[in-house]
Each structure stands twice: as structure tokens, then as C-alpha cells.
Amino acid sequence: MPEIKVIGDILSGKFQPTLTGNTIVDAALIDRFCQSLITALALSPQSVQAEHHWNLEIDPATIYVVDAHILDASGHEHRMANVVAVSHTELLRGQIGATKRKLATILAAQSSAN
């Protein structure tokens, strides 16, 4: 099972966007989003983690779920096979529908390749 990193805020480095501006609230919102993905896709809790210290590097072995605002500002393209852009509003509200569909497609493609 590939590792999935959910990036909704970045707490360190030169590039430090946040979800709400409050680190405690951001962590809770992102954790809730992660938990919802774990439940909806029947994943192990260890496979989906919030990444609060992303260094903007893309590891091809990892799947990234990234706030679209952060993705746009970072200069990464939305069309990368292992990067799922999620709207800022969906992260704030814990709405995982679109992300779940995109992740299910990626996970299915990876499992059929193995």
C-alpha cells in the first residue's frame, strides 16, 4: 500500500501557507480529512498521514493530496499522476467525495500494476 500524504498547511521552511491561520484548527481539520479518507477507502491508518512540513519535493512512490492553493503556489502541475489537488473548501469542510474518487482510481491502477 503506498503512503498517502495530505498537505493542507506547511509549518516550516520558506513556503508556509496555512489552511485557516490557526495551527491547532488546521491540524484538527486535516486529521479529520485523513480519517474520513481512511474510513471511506478502507485503508490502514498508517497509510494516510498529514504532512505539515512538506519541502515541495514529490516522491514518485508517495501519493500526495494537496490543497489546490498550495499546489498552485508551489509551481507543481495538477496533472501529475501521484498528486491529487483538493479544493481549499473541501479540506475546510471535510468533504472527501471528489478526493475519494480520484484516490480510488490511482490506488486501483497501482494495484493492477503490481
Side-chain angles (χ1 to χ4, degrees), residues 1-16:
M1 176 62 59
E3 181 180 24
I4 300 170
K5 292 185 178 182
V6 178
I7 303 163
D9 67 347
I10 301 175
L11 301 177
S12 61
K14 295 178 185 176
F15 184 71
Q16 295 185 15

Side-chain angles (χ1 to χ4, degrees), residues 6-9 17-34 36-37 65-70 85-97 99:
V6 178
I7 303 163
D9 67 347
T18 62
L19 195 57
T20 67
N22 181 318
T23 56
I24 295 169
V25 172
D26 289 355
L29 291 170
I30 296 166
D31 286 344
R32 182 181 69 175
F33 192 86
C34 290
S36 297
L37 285 177
V65 176
V66 185
D67 181 328
H69 291 163
I70 293 174
V86 61
S87 85
H88 192 76
T89 303
E90 289 173 351
L91 271 170
L92 283 171
R93 296 184 179 164
Q95 299 168 329
I96 64 160
T99 304

